Amino acid sequence: MAEQLIELNVTGMHCNNCAISVHKLLEKKGFHDISVDFASEEVKFSTDSENAVADAIKGIEGLGYKVIEDAASHKEKFYEKIENKLIFCAIFTIPLLSAMLLPWHILHEPVVQLILCLPVFVVGCLHFGKSAWNSVKGGVPNMDVLIFIGSTSAFVYSLVGTIENMGMNYQFYETAATIITLVLLGNLFEKRSVTQTTSAVKDLVKIQQVNANRVINGEIEVISAKEVRPGDTLVVNTGDKVPVDGDVLSGNASVNESMLTGESLPVEKGKYDRVIGGTIVEHGNITMIATKVGSNTVLAQIIELMKKAQAAKPAIQKTGDKVAAIFVPAVILIALITFAMGYFIGHIGLQHALMNAVAVLVISCPCAMGLATPTAVMVGLGRAAKNGILIKGGDTVEAVTKAKYVVFDKTGTLTTGKFSINAVTPVQGADIENVRGVITAIEERSNHPIAKSLVSGLKNLAQQKVILKTVTEEKGLGMRAEDVEGNHYFLGASKSKDENTLFNVSLYKNQKLLADIEIDDEIKPEAATLVAELKKMGIIPVLLSGDRQIRCEKVAEAVGIDEVHGEKLPAEKLTVIDIYRKKGETIMVGDGINDAPALTRADVGVSMNDSSQVAIQSAKVILLNADLFSFVKFLQISRHTLITIKQNLFWAFAYNIVAIPIAAFGFLSPMIGALAMAFSDVVVIGNSLRLKAKRL
């Protein structure tokens, strides 16, 4: 059996420690390419054995998690919902707490308190106890171990006191019940908050869930977008979402592509124009042919990229993960020391020593450290995606913030990529109409911005049709072709020895110059502002291009770049990138086609291309809205995401460093400790959620 990627939907994971335990299990079973995302409840791994999948599912469910077939259609049972568990526990916990305030004698009876506490304790055992045991089996003890030990200690101590009729000093039923109820409350807030951090991906998934109007024998049938096949003819009317990627066959429409590019202005679409699944027809009607469906659509690729990005950990997360992995055993040890020191050395009494130890257990919070990085990364990547910026990994965010150099390609990056033909000058004796025909025939086969501009500029001029037998593109050099008569052509960068020549492209026929083409492109209006912003950030901008040195210097001077490398072939660009990488972290910004090798070699490759396949594969960041302000926003989001991660980790560490000693010295009751712990996670997630609307 060939190796395949397995994707499972796993419910029950509520923090990064859960994800780590599943990851460790799959590693032990010999799987690789493992990705576990607790927030989206997805587990992926590669295997070449069919039997191994069943074994993996059995192992994951053995840890206490549940593997389901379809996450979208899965519904929790009534008793599984944390909201219902919380309400049930609160009904019994409130009377127990009321006994501390109300003078009703019956509420102070040990048997009554036991009866009220027992249902809550059973729920706690089922919820926290099961999770605690499974996490210990998985080799990564989680927070539930501490909650279970703490609440069980208080309950068992109270139960013994009740059986032995030792009096009120041995009754801590309200402590056991309150710990369980408050932590459930914290879990509920945590669950809802984490759901918000993954809203960007979920919003994109919802966009996919639309209907399509398919035309069959002149009749229209309404089907799900999932049922559309390549080649189907579809009708899209005003207000409809484009169901899949395709080309317009007829009609005109204004299409809102903001969900892809972040650009709110609609784009006009007509015959032969490409439309992207998930975009909205604001005005007009079109008939289109489906070209890409299912996982091949741009939207599906974006969703997959975001999922992979959320799974890629920044280096800073490794510190939190390492501490979280040893945190629970360390806290249990501290709690035991607290009890021993208080009872045997401090002589503070059994009850007081036990309550101090329980307070240590329930106030500590390893989950805050586990949630600190992934929640910030998820919100940061989600905000970037809504602005038309696709970041392939959380590790990219950290690399960007350390950047010392930003290397720009020229054409299509600092310039608009829209060229105009100033002149076509054939050599003496050459037929201008034949020259135009050859240029059009060759450049129609290329997607390069210059090629598109040449074809567009010549289409309304008289030209002689030329039929080509073969056309090949030489990256960074030009196009070679052969016509049906056996003539060989080369169309590429001018080889004129005059440094100041205005001719940019030359056409050769059978190795003899046939014509020179003078072209020009315009600098993007925001380029100079971007360069100035980079310099303010302490980043050095560099221009690297295959174009003539004199033209590169002209553009660099206009936008304020001092370091210029012109006339570089793709292999030479790699050498330049390597030189800068030795000096510091380097970002490469290019069009994603000619610059694919350099984008891959740089620490972070940023593609300005409009989501072409090459761009998606080569770059770590894709700017769907190819203006340079998107690049500035990308830098800002990356920096603020890293700042948020550091703030979260500082809170997580500081909280535990301060809270545990306070509890150990007896300054906090277990109930206050449980309340503090319950909301420590919420503080971390809440800080991450600020990224959604934070002013950059």
Side-chain angles (χ1 to χ4, degrees), residues 270-289:
K271 191 173 182 179
Y272 302 132
D273 285 337
R274 183 179 69 154
V275 287
I276 300 171
T279 55
I280 301 171
V281 175
E282 291 192 345
H283 180 72
N285 303 281
I286 57 171
T287 301
M288 60 174 281
I289 184 169

Side-chain angles (χ1 to χ4, degrees), residues 16-17 20 140 313-314 316-327 369-371 373-374 649 653:
N16 207 46
N17 272 30
I20 292 172
V140 187
K313 297 180 181 180
I316 195 171
Q317 183 173 343
K318 293 175 184 175
T319 304
D321 287 350
K322 285 178 181 176
V323 174
I326 62 170
F327 187 88
M369 286 177 280
L371 291 167
T373 301
L649 285 173
F653 282 106

Side-chain angles (χ1 to χ4, degrees), residues 199-405:
S199 61
V201 172
K202 290 177 180 177
D203 289 345
L204 291 176
V205 171
K206 285 179 184 176
I207 291 172
Q208 287 183 306
Q209 298 166 355
V210 297
N211 290 328
N213 301 316
R214 182 167 62 184
V215 180
I216 295 184
N217 299 325
E219 299 290 325
I220 293 179
E221 67 168 348
V222 180
I223 60 172
S224 166
K226 292 179 181 178
E227 299 175 65
V228 177
R229 296 293 175 261
D232 284 353
T233 301
L234 310 172
V235 174
V236 189
N237 301 314
T238 300
D240 290 348
K241 284 181 182 175
V242 178
V244 295
D245 295 2
D247 296 323
V248 178
L249 294 175
S250 63
N252 294 279
S254 298
V255 181
N256 185 339
E257 297 184 340
S258 60
M259 67 91 175
L260 281 175
T261 65
E263 175 57 58
S264 58
L265 293 176
V267 180
E268 297 302 318
K269 301 288 184 179
K271 191 173 182 179
Y272 302 132
D273 285 337
R274 183 179 69 154
V275 287
I276 300 171
T279 55
I280 301 171
V281 175
E282 291 192 345
H283 180 72
N285 303 281
I286 57 171
T287 301
M288 60 174 281
I289 184 169
T291 56
K292 293 181 180 178
V293 301
S295 61
N296 293 320
T297 64
V298 170
L299 182 58
Q301 290 178 341
I302 290 171
I303 292 170
E304 189 59 28
L305 278 176
M306 289 192 64
K307 288 180 178 179
K308 287 181 180 177
Q310 291 174 353
K313 297 180 181 180
I316 195 171
Q317 183 173 343
K318 293 175 184 175
T319 304
D321 287 350
K322 285 178 181 176
V323 174
I326 62 170
F327 187 88
V328 172
V331 169
I332 293 173
L333 180 62
I334 293 170
L336 290 172
I337 293 172
T338 299
F339 177 79
M341 294 284 286
Y343 184 68
F344 295 109
I345 298 176
H347 304 293
I348 61 174
L350 183 61
Q351 303 98 322
H352 197 176
L354 179 63
M355 287 301 103
N356 287 353
V358 170
V360 168
L361 291 170
V362 299
I363 202 170
S364 54
C365 187
C367 274
M369 286 177 280
L371 291 167
T373 301
T375 53
V377 167
M378 281 184 266
V379 175
L381 297 184
R383 180 165 181 178
K386 288 186 176 180
N387 283 278
I389 304 163
L390 296 184
I391 304 173
K392 282 192 180 180
D395 50 346
T396 300
V397 169
E398 191 169 354
V400 167
T401 58
K402 298 176 183 176
K404 187 176 180 182
Y405 298 96

